[in-house]
Amino acid sequence: MSFMVGELVTRESYQHDILFRISSVSNQSAVLHGEDIRLEADALLEDLEKVPERDIEKIKIKGKEKEDYSFRLFRQDYQLMKEKRTYESTSGYQQDSNFFQLPARVLHLDGDRLYLKKCIDLYQRMGLQVHGLYVDEKEMPNEIGRLVKKIQPDMIVITGHDAFSRNKGEKNDIRAYRHSQYFVDTVREARAIVPNVDQLVIFAGACQSHFESLIRAGANFASSPSRINIHALDPVYITAKVAYTSFMDKVSVYEALRNTLTGEKGLGGIETKGLLRTGMPYVKEDLTSD
């Protein structure tokens, strides 16, 4: 059976547990990327099975339901945060007072173009502006310094694909991970420019990433404490929670993870200040003036 780049497949040796997209084919093997989770894997072509179109549709519907549920939880959380900001900005009196917000600047580096598009779509649904760039994981440490100085972000997302391989070492050995070392190096480069964890908030990691090394390198939030797979959209939910929390308040790790699709086994971090700042009065720009 022949396979083509972009086809959706599962692995027979893993009981067809994960839906993958074929990234590349070489000789009798293929590099696979999870369709909804940030996992990269190698597989023999003989172990792959194409997924029928009818099954793909069922899987996508089920995945969409899960994503919509998390988005509804976020909307509820966002509404509560908005009401609190309005009350505090107006001292609880004038609910219609004209105040403005300074949005957080978000830089999102992703090692997968399709994941990046999905994430940007979700950022837009959440009303967040983001500078999203596709960068191969191996190139991220070389690119991050220039990008931080150019964009001057308030928050950085460093993600893509990763995987732990038992054939390469133990779980505490970062050399046994596909891309964790590149993520760690990228975090360190960013922290060399902005050392304060509240002035520059960083999320780093993907599926099964070496969580401890990422936190030690300076990430506020990272994956994956239990070395499990994380959903492609999880970094966006953490970003939104921090971006919509006032800089006067801290974001607990529990609050940051509450609306993610993976939860605390796949994600963790440290207490972090929010990024949102409000001011008043809001002055509408007069487009008719000289």
Side-chain angles (χ1 to χ4, degrees):
M1 181 182 294
S2 62
F3 293 90
M4 298 177 59
V5 171
E7 285 187 308
L8 296 178
V9 297
T10 57
R11 296 175 296 178
E12 185 177 348
S13 60
Y14 285 81
Q15 291 75 51
H16 311 286
D17 59 340
I18 296 174
L19 181 65
F20 285 99
R21 171 173 26 98
I22 296 179
S23 176
S24 64
V25 179
S26 177
N27 296 325
Q28 296 303 311
S29 65
V31 176
L32 309 176
H33 291 166
E35 180 68 4
D36 294 309
I37 61 173
R38 292 185 172 275
L39 180 67
E40 182 171 295
D42 299 313
L44 294 175
L45 296 183
E46 64 186 26
D47 190 34
L48 301 181
E49 183 175 308
K50 294 183 181 181
V51 181
E53 193 65 35
R54 63 180 183 277
D55 292 340
I56 292 175
E57 192 62 29
K58 291 179 182 177
I59 293 171
K60 288 186 176 181
I61 290 174
K62 187 176 181 180
K64 184 70 163 50
E65 290 174 350
K66 187 176 181 180
E67 293 172 11
D68 287 345
Y69 176 73
S70 286
F71 183 75
R72 287 197 299 272
L73 291 179
F74 164 78
R75 292 295 302 177
Q76 294 173 7
D77 197 23
Y78 170 79
Q79 191 60 37
L80 291 174
M81 289 190 292
K82 182 179 179 181
E83 291 173 1
K84 180 181 179 181
R85 291 197 303 271
T86 301
Y87 183 88
E88 292 176 346
S89 298
T90 62
S91 299
Y93 295 111
Q94 301 175 14
Q95 295 298 316
D96 60 347
S97 180
N98 290 326
F99 62 90
F100 60 89
Q101 299 178 349
L102 295 178
R105 292 187 298 274
V106 179
L107 170 62
H108 182 121
L109 302 186
D110 209 311
D112 188 294
R113 287 186 175 88
L114 293 181
Y115 288 167
L116 177 61
K117 183 181 184 305
K118 289 181 180 181
C119 287
I120 289 178
D121 289 344
L122 183 56
Y123 282 121
Q124 292 176 344
R125 285 184 71 188
M126 292 176 165
L128 289 172
Q129 293 183 342
V130 60
H131 194 107
L133 293 172
Y134 163 73
V135 182
D136 186 273
E137 291 88 350
K138 296 179 178 64
E139 294 300 319
M140 288 180 179
N142 301 325
E143 295 293 327
I144 190 64
R146 175 183 64 84
L147 293 170
V148 169
K149 292 175 182 177
K150 177 181 178 181
I151 299 170
Q152 298 184 354
D154 302 300
M155 185 165 184
I156 303 175
V157 174
I158 301 163
T159 189
H161 309 103
D162 208 354
F164 164 69
S165 175
R166 290 185 178 86
N167 297 329
K168 296 181 180 179
E170 301 295 325
K171 285 189 175 181
N172 61 356
D173 185 355
I174 197 169
R175 292 173 298 181
Y177 295 79
R178 192 175 295 256
H179 290 141
S180 287
Q181 185 65 63
Y182 300 112
F183 294 145
V184 166
D185 292 343
T186 306
V187 173
R188 285 178 178 155
E189 290 293 327
R191 278 284 169 247
I193 300 172
V194 185
N196 191 307
V197 296
D198 288 319
Q199 291 181 353
L200 176 62
V201 179
I202 299 176
F203 172 94
C207 282
Q208 305 175 14
S209 291
H210 198 288
F211 171 78
E212 299 89 332
S213 292
L214 291 167
I215 294 296
R216 285 198 299 267
N220 299 66
F221 302 96
S223 60
S224 167
S226 297
R227 305 302 194 262
I228 67 170
N229 299 326
I230 71 168
H231 195 277
L233 299 178
D234 280 335
V236 180
Y237 284 106
I238 291 179
T239 301
K241 179 63 180 180
V242 176
Y244 281 124
T245 298
S246 168
F247 82 102
M248 298 290 289
D249 298 328
K250 68 180 180 181
V251 179
S252 72
V253 179
Y254 169 77
E255 290 173 337
L257 306 186
R258 185 168 53 191
N259 297 331
T260 63
L261 288 91
T262 303
E264 63 185 30
K265 288 186 176 182
L267 303 159
I270 60 174
E271 289 183 334
T272 300
K273 284 185 178 180
L275 294 174
L276 186 69
R277 292 177 181 267
T278 59
M280 62 183 303
Y282 170 73
V283 179
K284 189 175 181 180
E285 186 178 356
D286 185 359
L287 299 179
T288 63
S289 61
D290 294 334

